[in-house]
Amino acid sequence: MKKSLYNYILGIADNSLILGQRIGELCGHGPSLETDIACTNISLDLLGQVRSYYQYAAKIAGDGRTEDDIAMLRKEREYVNVLLVEQPNTDFAYTMARHFLFDEYHLLFLTELKKSKDMTLAAIATKCIKEVRYHQRFSSDWIRRLGDGTEESQNRMQAAIDDLWTYTDELFHQTDADKAMVSEGIGVDVTKLKNAYYEKVNTVLEESTLTIPESKYFQKGGKMGIHTEHMGFLLAELQYMQRTYPNMEW
């Protein structure tokens, strides 16, 4: 039970940590000052959420590790985020498409996590969902703006959706920890979110005059610690200070 809960929390938190790191890379590189600041704030939102999860995970582990140790000092195969969130910021369309495809899931997930029998997880979800509603609104607005914009913006957004679509199905795969926590009434049965997710995503794509991908081929592995080539480079930046100056504290 204790180990499964710890692993379950990592499965939630790692998604937000890696996505927060990715979006944070846009700081100073956004297409406009307002958008740049918005993306930076979203990154900070996600990292703030991560702190709550990792603090709880550290308490459960009870082995002396801190939230920083869990966040910064694991090896690549020990991170269990989905492949979607580690994909690079190829261009602004890719960034918003990746953000949107995760936000729709994240909002559905937190809505159900609020009902958890674990009061700490329920409280974290209740706090985080307010921020995630804004994240979803922000990213879906950009999908519409770029999809129903110029020929150039539509082509770029369609290419991003087509490329990232292959990573969406993994959101609904269950690990052993997921199954254990669902059986205890603590975790969310993500398989039940799948239909609602694709309905919401498809609605936004249609409103954006974008074509819904027909690909039936999906990639997975992130939840099992098997990542794309992009993950190692991301962690090299994320972990730099802790690796260079061991045991550093603020």
Side-chain angles (χ1 to χ4, degrees), residues 36-48:
D36 190 302
I37 294 172
C39 288
T40 303
N41 284 334
I42 288 171
S43 175
L44 291 173
D45 285 345
L46 291 170
L47 294 177

Side-chain angles (χ1 to χ4, degrees), residues 1 4-5 8 12 105 109 112-113 115-118 121 172-193 223:
M1 169 69 177
S4 292
L5 179 57
Y8 182 71
I12 302 171
Y105 163 80
F109 178 84
E112 294 304 312
L113 190 61
K115 306 171 187 176
S116 173
K117 290 183 178 179
D118 186 301
L121 285 179
F172 310 103
H173 288 198
Q174 286 185 314
T175 64
D176 291 340
D178 292 339
K179 294 174 183 177
M181 291 301 95
V182 169
S183 67
E184 295 288 339
I186 293 173
V188 175
D189 186 348
V190 292
T191 63
K192 295 181 179 179
L193 305 179
K223 287 188 174 184

Side-chain angles (χ1 to χ4, degrees), residues 141-181:
D141 283 349
W142 271 108
I143 298 296
R144 296 184 182 93
R145 187 180 302 182
L146 296 178
D148 197 23
T150 65
E151 181 180 357
E152 175 73 13
S153 70
Q154 185 184 56
N155 288 341
R156 285 178 178 267
M157 182 53 73
Q158 185 67 62
I161 292 293
D162 289 345
D163 285 355
L164 293 169
W165 194 260
T166 188
Y167 301 109
T168 56
D169 190 66
E170 187 186 14
L171 294 165
F172 310 103
H173 288 198
Q174 286 185 314
T175 64
D176 291 340
D178 292 339
K179 294 174 183 177
M181 291 301 95

Side-chain angles (χ1 to χ4, degrees), residues 18 22 81-88 227-228 230-231 234:
I18 301 305
R22 271 290 182 235
N81 55 279
V82 294
L83 299 178
L84 174 65
V85 297
E86 68 194 49
Q87 299 310 302
H227 297 282
T228 63
H230 308 296
M231 186 67 167
L234 183 150

Side-chain angles (χ1 to χ4, degrees), residues 16-30 35-47 85 87 89 95-96 98-99 234 237-238:
S16 294
L17 173 68
I18 301 305
L19 184 59
Q21 174 70 10
R22 271 290 182 235
I23 298 174
E25 293 172 4
L26 280 184
C27 185
H29 300 281
T35 305
D36 190 302
I37 294 172
C39 288
T40 303
N41 284 334
I42 288 171
S43 175
L44 291 173
D45 285 345
L46 291 170
L47 294 177
V85 297
Q87 299 310 302
N89 299 319
T95 300
M96 287 298 101
R98 181 197 60 221
H99 195 13
L234 183 150
E237 291 192 3
L238 174 67

Side-chain angles (χ1 to χ4, degrees), residues 52-63:
S52 297
Y53 288 121
Y54 287 150
Q55 285 170 357
Y56 187 32
K59 180 179 178 181
I60 292 170
D63 55 9

